Amino acid sequence: MSLSYASTVPRQLVHRRSPADVLLTDYETVDGTHRAAVQLPTSHRMFVPVRRTHDSLMIAEALRQAVSLFCHVEHDVPLDHVVYIEHFRFDILDLLSVDDIDDSLVAESITTDRTFEDESLDNLKLSARLLNRGQVVASGTASVRPIGPDVYSKVRKPTMADPHFRYLPAGTEVVEPAGVGRLDPADVVLARHTSDGTLVVAPDPRNLAMFDHSVEYLPGVTMLEAARQALRSATGCVGLDFTSLEVRFLGFAEWANPCTVIVDSDTTDGIHRIQFEHDGVVLSAMSVTATPEPWLPLSDRSSR
């Protein structure tokens, strides 16, 4: 069977409201390998290609959507369940140019482990890779915990963001866009305390490129963008993009109680460590590598 690129998969399978945000167009499973056709946009408000090279977070989103899709269609996770990714890693292995993709991009995934609790799926581990014309351009792994409505209601109180209002903690102001590689303040997801310079995650819910529907907590891709903007601010390199990333999500980042961002950019091993905390509790921890020249071949890039 050949994969089709003619139309998107149902948006509910990848937890997106707008069909324009659905990156997958078809899927199949062959000999235990799950395959999904991927169509990346050539332009995007937040994750725009730089020098005709796709943004790393667009690639991460394609892998995330593939994980979500196969949780539902291959492992029977109900659509009303939250597909909570506890651990996620991706590595960019080769350039992905907007000029080199013509119905040729495929996300492949295999299930490496499953655990059950009371006959219900409790945890799922997957390994994935992104191929362009058969060549691996990115790889990743994910550990997923499906959370049903009953369990979710016990561990969380709904705190929907006001879609008409950007919440900023007292004494903070939105970080200057130019300092994090952005042009529009609405695309900046960080605010800074004027007293001590501490960064907090405070995105604008009116930015429909990031939030096409109201959400109760900050999505994972928002946290990845917050990490990238914080690293750009800390290093002074506003064109910095990820070449690899590993993240553990340990809790939900809330709208009304913005978490702080702590960046360790003084690295000797080339790995930057970024942590998100609220009241001393770690919500997520990331280890990343990055380059200021994501459009160059890997052998020609500088590391930061």
Side-chain angles (χ1 to χ4, degrees):
M1 174 181 174
S2 60
L3 294 170
S4 171
Y5 293 81
S7 60
T8 67
V9 302
R11 56 188 178 152
Q12 296 87 347
L13 294 175
V14 296
H15 295 256
R16 285 289 177 258
R17 188 179 77 170
S18 171
D21 291 328
V22 178
L23 306 181
L24 309 183
T25 62
D26 196 9
Y27 59 91
E28 65 181 0
T29 296
V30 179
D31 297 330
T33 298
H34 317 310
R35 305 177 72 244
V38 179
Q39 190 77 50
L40 299 182
T42 54
S43 64
H44 192 273
R45 160 76 178 267
M46 286 295 295
F47 308 129
V48 61
V50 177
R51 299 196 188 184
R52 306 189 72 79
T53 300
H54 278 292
D55 188 291
S56 69
L57 295 190
M58 186 61 73
I59 295 172
E61 172 62 9
L63 293 174
R64 183 208 66 81
Q65 289 194 16
V67 167
S68 174
L69 170 76
F70 292 121
C71 280
H72 292 303
V73 301
E74 294 295 335
H75 297 285
D76 299 321
V77 174
L79 289 175
D80 64 352
H81 281 43
V82 173
V83 179
Y84 184 70
I85 298 180
E86 296 180 312
H87 174 266
F88 181 66
R89 177 183 175 86
F90 75 86
D91 295 88
I92 307 295
L93 305 176
D94 202 354
L95 287 176
L96 196 55
S97 169
V98 298
D99 301 309
D100 294 336
I101 301 173
D102 184 18
D103 293 353
S104 59
L105 201 58
V106 175
E108 289 188 348
S109 174
I110 59 172
T111 303
T112 58
D113 191 31
R114 292 191 301 171
T115 58
F116 293 83
E117 184 174 318
D118 297 330
E119 299 184 355
S120 296
L121 183 63
D122 180 60
N123 185 270
L124 183 67
K125 290 181 172 59
L126 303 103
S127 175
R129 59 183 189 165
L130 193 65
L131 300 96
N132 187 30
R133 297 188 178 90
Q135 179 180 349
V136 180
V137 294
S139 64
T141 59
S143 177
V144 178
R145 185 176 303 279
I147 304 177
D150 292 342
V151 174
Y152 183 81
S153 64
K154 293 177 181 177
V155 299
R156 281 188 51 77
K157 294 181 180 179
T159 54
M160 301 296 285
D162 185 337
H164 308 292
F165 174 74
R166 182 177 196 157
Y167 178 77
L168 293 174
T172 67
E173 58 186 17
V174 177
V175 170
E176 282 293 323
V180 293
R182 293 296 177 185
L183 297 175
D184 190 334
D187 294 337
V188 177
V189 300
L190 300 176
R192 190 188 307 275
H193 280 277
T194 56
S195 59
D196 60 8
T198 301
L199 292 174
V200 297
V201 184
D204 192 337
R206 296 166 295 186
N207 184 342
L208 298 181
M210 293 200 74
F211 309 107
D212 72 342
H213 62 285
S214 297
V215 290
E216 294 185 11
Y217 54 88
L218 299 184
V221 70
T222 303
M223 304 302 288
L224 300 188
E225 175 62 13
R228 182 165 62 177
Q229 291 188 15
L231 186 58
R232 288 172 173 175
S233 177
T235 60
C237 182
V238 298
L240 208 66
D241 197 12
F242 297 140
T243 53
S244 71
L245 180 146
E246 184 172 11
V247 56
R248 293 188 181 277
F249 292 108
L250 307 172
F252 294 96
E254 307 290 351
W255 287 93
N257 296 298
C259 57
T260 58
V261 191
I262 302 169
V263 180
D264 178 8
S265 60
D266 185 16
T267 174
T268 57
D269 57 5
I271 299 175
H272 304 280
R273 293 166 179 84
I274 305 164
Q275 198 156 282
F276 296 84
E277 298 181 358
H278 178 65
D279 290 340
V281 177
V282 178
L283 298 179
S284 65
M286 304 185 191
S287 299
V288 309
T289 60
T291 177
E293 304 145 342
W295 57 87
L296 291 179
L298 271 64
S299 59
D300 298 335
R301 291 178 180 173
S302 303
S303 296
R304 286 289 179 93

